[in-house]
């Protein structure tokens, strides 16, 4: 992702190095966030499907998975549990999306600075 | 973050390439530890969930009926009456019996420790990645410097002959 090319006479200061490091760290975090957001979205969809199934079923007692066992829980309690989990997950998803936006913005800033100083001598694009 | 490692017979670069390989070894180890911790944390949270469900049922006074897995694909029904205590698997073929409150406290402590270790691990990984980046940039700079020097030498020697 980052490669130095030949012929550059530009001095690399410690601040430049720290910017490059920060860019690398942000890039890694971006990939992690990407995966985490995907997982959270899938979880939200699963909760949606689960609550839809719940509305359709006419059983009073639902087998709700807690850990490794399926506990026999009354339908209403299952409904409220799923609601809680859905809310927690969507709040988490919001937080992740916000973090992703902040990371992307910081990376754009750093790109401007680093390209400004090193021009062709540095490559900050994804392979 | 991939650095195209160019072949160089430059003695100055050799040390940093060895260094990079050592960094990679440590990075693999840390990543493996991180994966383990990330798997452990949801497990502990699930256990906490069950213990709190048992406690809730105890207060309401009714028994808890659950289906649990006996073997792959085979489940059995269990009726859990008034729960005095729970048994926690501590690893190394050891299982201890605790009261519900003690179990909750222990699981909570384990969860917090796991989360703290994960944070330390993530910080270590970030530090390591920074070191790798610095080494890569320095390798590139030394290589460029060497190329520059060779060019200068080639520029001066034709003039002498």
């Amino acid at each position: 992702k980052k490669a130095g090319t030949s012929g550059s006479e530009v001095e690399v200061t410690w601040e430049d190095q720290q910017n490059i490091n920060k860019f690398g760290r942000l890039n890694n975090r971006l990939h992690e966030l990407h995966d985490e957001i995907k997982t959270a979205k899938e979880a939200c969809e699963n909760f949606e499907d689960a609550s839809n199934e719940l509305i359709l079923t006419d059983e009073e007692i639902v087998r709700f998975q807690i850990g490794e066992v399926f506990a026999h829980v009354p339908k209403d309690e299952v409904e409220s549990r799923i609601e809680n989990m859905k809310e927690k997950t969507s709040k988490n998803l919001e937080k992740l999306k916000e973090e992703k936006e902040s990371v992307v913005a910081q990376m754009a800033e750093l790109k401007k600075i680093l390209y400004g100083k090193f021009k062709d001598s540095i490559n900050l694009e994804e392979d | 973050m991939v650095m195209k490692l160019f072949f160089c017979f430059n003695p100055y670069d050799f040390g940093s390439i060895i260094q990079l390989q050592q960094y990679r070894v440590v990075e693999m180890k840390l990543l493996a530890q991180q994966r383990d911790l990330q798997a452990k944390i949801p497990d502990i949270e699930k256990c906490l969930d069950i213990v709190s469900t048992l406690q809730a049922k105890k207060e309401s006074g009714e028994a808890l009926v659950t289906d649990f897995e006996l073997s792959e694909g085979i489940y059995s029904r269990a009726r859990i009456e008034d729960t005095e205590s729970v048994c926690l698997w501590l690893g190394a073929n050891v299982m201890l019996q605790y009261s519900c409150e003690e179990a909750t406290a222990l699981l909570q402590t384990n969860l917090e420790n796991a989360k703290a270790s994960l944070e330390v691990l993530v910080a270590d990984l970030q530090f390591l990645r920074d070191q790798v980046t610095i080494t890569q940039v320095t390798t590139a700079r030394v290589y460029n410097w060497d190329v520059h020097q060779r060019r200068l030498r080639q520029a001066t020697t034709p003039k002498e002959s």
Side-chain angles (χ1 to χ4, degrees), chain B residues 43-138:
Chain B
D43 270 348
I44 303 182
E45 284 172 348
K46 276 191 245 178
C47 289
L48 268 173
D49 203 359
I50 295 224
V51 176
S52 67
T53 312
L54 285 174
Q55 267 183 308
K57 284 294 178 200
K58 189 161 81 164
E59 275 148 40
S60 75
E62 51 191 65
L64 182 70
V65 183
T66 70
D67 296 331
F68 62 95
E69 199 173 20
L70 266 183
S71 168
E72 182 118 12
I74 301 177
Y75 293 79
S76 169
R77 193 150 293 177
R79 174 182 228 92
I80 307 176
E81 307 269 326
D82 196 16
T83 37
E84 265 311 315
S85 57
V86 285
C87 300
L88 289 177
W89 177 266
L90 300 177
N93 285 342
V94 172
M95 182 178 251
L96 274 186
Q97 198 173 22
Y98 293 91
S99 76
C100 285
E101 286 84 18
E102 286 173 344
T104 316
L106 180 70
L107 286 171
Q108 199 65 39
T109 319
N110 283 354
L111 187 66
E112 277 156 19
N113 287 345
K115 285 190 174 158
S117 321
L118 193 62
E119 265 180 44
V120 167
L121 209 65
V122 165
D124 284 346
L125 265 172
Q126 282 185 339
F127 173 74
L128 193 68
R129 292 211 177 102
D130 282 353
Q131 294 300 101
V132 169
T133 311
I134 298 179
T135 314
Q136 288 172 337
V137 170
T138 316

Side-chain angles (χ1 to χ4, degrees), chain A residues 48-112:
Chain A
E48 270 308 310
D49 292 342
S51 50
N52 289 342
E53 279 297 321
L54 202 58
I55 300 172
L56 292 172
T57 186
D58 46 1
E59 287 178 40
E60 206 17 70
I61 302 277
V62 183
R63 275 169 282 273
F64 185 78
Q65 183 181 20
I66 310 181
E68 301 293 321
V69 302
F70 295 87
H72 289 214
V73 185
K75 200 161 103 170
D76 303 321
E77 200 186 316
V78 176
E79 250 184 84
S80 47
R81 275 191 190 238
I82 294 190
E83 272 309 308
N84 279 346
M85 287 158 79
K86 230 195 310 188
E87 238 203 81
K88 258 201 296 190
T89 313
S90 50
K91 277 210 193 112
N92 190 33
L93 187 61
E94 275 314 302
K95 207 173 56 148
L96 287 174
K97 281 190 177 156
E98 277 175 25
E99 195 186 338
K100 181 173 165 185
E101 279 177 29
S102 144
V103 164
V104 166
Q106 286 180 59
M107 279 171 75
E109 234 349 90
L110 281 173
K111 260 193 190 179
K112 251 194 306 181

